[in-house]
Amino acid sequence: MDFNSYREMINSGLNSIDMNSIDTGFNMIFDSIRNNRKIILFGNGGSQAVLNHWQCDFEKGLYNVSKELYSNCINLTSNPALITAITNDIGKEYMFSHQIEYIKDSD
């Protein structure tokens, strides 16, 4: 694949994005931040890496924009020791739900 074909493929993908869905998601996230609600992130593989970056943006980036904005952002994939302990001792199917139970009970 040459660069022009790659660029056309990327542009086609970008043009297919439903911007109303992006706006809805953005508004949900920003409302959560404004109302000090938790934002829980989880994923695997490349998505997990992107979520680490999002958490950084939420935690550091928002503070740089406004000292009044605070993100209560929790990344369920950022602690490998906890993930391996849960999957080994409790079961891989509980990797996220066990953490959410703990978060829910700590409120």
Side-chain angles (χ1 to χ4, degrees):
M1 173 181 296
D2 64 5
F3 179 74
N4 284 329
S5 298
Y6 178 74
R7 186 183 66 192
E8 288 174 16
M9 182 180 70
I10 295 297
N11 285 335
S12 175
L14 290 173
N15 289 332
S16 71
I17 294 172
D18 176 10
M19 292 309 293
N20 290 326
S21 295
I22 299 294
D23 286 341
T24 298
F26 174 82
N27 289 331
M28 289 173 63
I29 291 170
F30 201 72
D31 285 346
S32 294
I33 291 168
R34 242 187 269 130
N35 294 304
N36 198 31
R37 291 191 303 251
K38 290 179 177 72
I39 299 171
I40 299 176
L41 307 171
F42 59 96
N44 68 338
S47 298
Q48 188 271 337
V50 170
L51 294 177
N52 280 337
H53 187 86
W54 279 16
Q55 184 178 22
C56 179
D57 286 348
F58 290 146
E59 300 294 334
K60 179 197 66 74
L62 285 175
Y63 185 79
N64 287 341
V65 170
S66 171
K67 306 294 186 251
E68 297 171 10
L69 290 175
Y70 171 75
S71 166
N72 193 0
C73 187
I74 301 164
N75 186 345
L76 301 182
T77 60
S78 64
N79 186 340
L82 180 59
I83 290 171
T84 56
I86 292 170
T87 57
N88 185 58
D89 299 344
I90 301 170
K92 66 181 178 183
E93 65 273 21
Y94 299 104
M95 180 183 350
F96 299 130
S97 63
H98 183 78
Q99 293 180 73
I100 289 172
E101 285 297 318
Y102 175 78
I103 292 164
K104 180 185 71 134
D105 291 344
S106 67
D107 285 342

